């Protein structure tokens, strides 16, 4: 049975699609998994990235599809047995696509930048999670710091707030604000494929280990 992970953001620009694409490419290239990447975001950034990647002639050994509204639920259920793992990239707004994804997913993953405007949205995310668990009691919801600051107390302060948000468990992993991620995106690659920033690779693999190897059990 495939593991279904939906990645959302409370606010735009937190690196949600970068995380989704990095996990998808890591699962395929490092762990030889059969992966479905679902672009359920109205902006279609994940699909655009895959189109860019294929336009550059980069081998893309996973399946990418665009879905919206209730089709996110119905099609994922139909396809689940065909894949080892499914990554759903969903928009930050409260949409029918997002709610449909929450009803079918095993894990909700929410990256937050260590900034006040971002952290404030955690309350709305918490409300969504609590509502979703009425229909999907197996849903596990996790937050973590993405685009972490290289210095200062912002990361710690943000983690302290997130640790107290009802319904969201804070992961210990943090992913730094690194140019390597944007460089990889520009070349149509996941950070694992880029192979130039070992720290960035290590951070994504730490996240992978929590989500997949330990299976949250």
């Amino acid at each position: 049975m495939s593991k279904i992970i939906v990645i959302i953001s409370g606010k735009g620009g937190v690196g949600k699609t970068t995380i989704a694409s990095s996990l998808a490419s890591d699962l395929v290239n490092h762990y030889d998994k059969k992966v479905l990447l679902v672009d359920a975001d109205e902006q279609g950034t994940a699909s655009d990235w895959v189109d860019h990647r294929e336009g550059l002639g980069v081998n893309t050994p996973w399946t990418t599809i665009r879905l919206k509204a209730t089709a996110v639920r119905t099609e994922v259920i139909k396809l689940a047995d065909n894949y080892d793992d499914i990554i759903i990239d969903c928009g930050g707004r409260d949409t029918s696509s997002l709610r449909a994804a929450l009803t079918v997913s095993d894990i909700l993953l929410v990256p937050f930048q260590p900034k006040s405007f971002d952290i404030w949205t955690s309350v709305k995310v918490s409300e969504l999670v609590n509502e979703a668990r009425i229909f999907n009691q197996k849903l596990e919801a996790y937050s973590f710091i993405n685009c972490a600051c290289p210095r200062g107390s912002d990361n710690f302060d943000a983690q302290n707030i997130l640790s107290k948000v009802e319904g969201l468990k804070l992961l210990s992993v943090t992913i730094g604000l690194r140019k390597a991620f944007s460089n990889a995106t520009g070349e149509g690659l996941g950070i694992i494929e880029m192979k130039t920033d070992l720290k960035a690779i290590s951070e994504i693999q730490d996240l992978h280990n929590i989500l997949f190897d330990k299976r949250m059990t």
Side-chain angles (χ1 to χ4, degrees), residues 34-211:
K34 188 176 182 181
V35 174
L36 174 66
L37 176 61
V38 178
D39 188 347
D41 191 335
E42 293 176 349
Q43 295 185 15
T45 306
S47 297
D48 290 344
W49 173 72
V50 171
D51 289 343
H52 173 63
R53 175 186 175 96
E54 293 177 341
L56 293 173
V58 180
N59 180 42
T60 305
W62 64 81
T63 302
T64 303
I65 59 175
R66 292 194 69 171
L67 296 173
K68 63 180 181 179
T70 57
V72 176
R73 173 182 171 81
T74 56
E75 294 303 311
V76 166
I77 290 175
K78 288 179 186 177
L79 295 169
D81 289 340
N82 298 328
Y83 295 91
D84 297 316
D85 293 298
I86 298 175
I87 305 292
I88 305 175
D89 180 17
C90 236
R93 295 194 305 111
D94 184 2
T95 62
S96 57
S97 298
L98 172 55
R99 288 182 176 269
L102 290 175
T103 65
V104 75
S105 296
D106 301 297
I107 294 173
L108 167 65
L109 187 62
V110 192
F112 288 92
Q113 287 194 41
K115 299 177 181 179
S116 295
F117 288 150
D118 292 78
I119 301 302
W120 290 342
T121 64
S122 62
V123 175
K124 292 182 179 179
V125 174
S126 174
E127 292 171 353
L128 273 174
V129 171
N130 290 331
E131 290 177 16
R133 283 185 174 139
I134 297 174
F135 306 97
N136 181 8
Q137 296 181 2
K138 70 178 180 179
L139 181 68
E140 298 288 342
Y142 300 89
S143 64
F144 71 99
I145 297 297
N146 191 39
C147 302
C149 301
R151 60 185 64 85
S153 64
D154 288 352
N155 299 333
F156 176 81
D157 293 341
Q159 286 177 315
N160 185 47
I161 296 172
L162 289 174
S163 69
K164 301 173 183 176
V165 176
E166 181 184 357
L168 281 176
K169 181 178 179 180
L170 176 66
L171 299 179
S172 58
V173 63
T174 61
I175 297 179
L177 179 60
R178 304 184 186 282
K179 194 170 186 292
F181 286 106
S182 60
N183 288 344
T185 298
E187 295 187 26
L189 301 173
I191 195 65
I192 303 296
E193 299 167 300
M194 190 76 170
K195 299 179 180 179
T196 56
D197 189 324
L198 296 181
K199 183 63 176 175
I201 291 171
S202 176
E203 290 170 346
I204 288 295
Q205 289 182 330
D206 285 345
L207 181 60
H208 174 114
N209 289 339
I210 293 174
L211 296 176

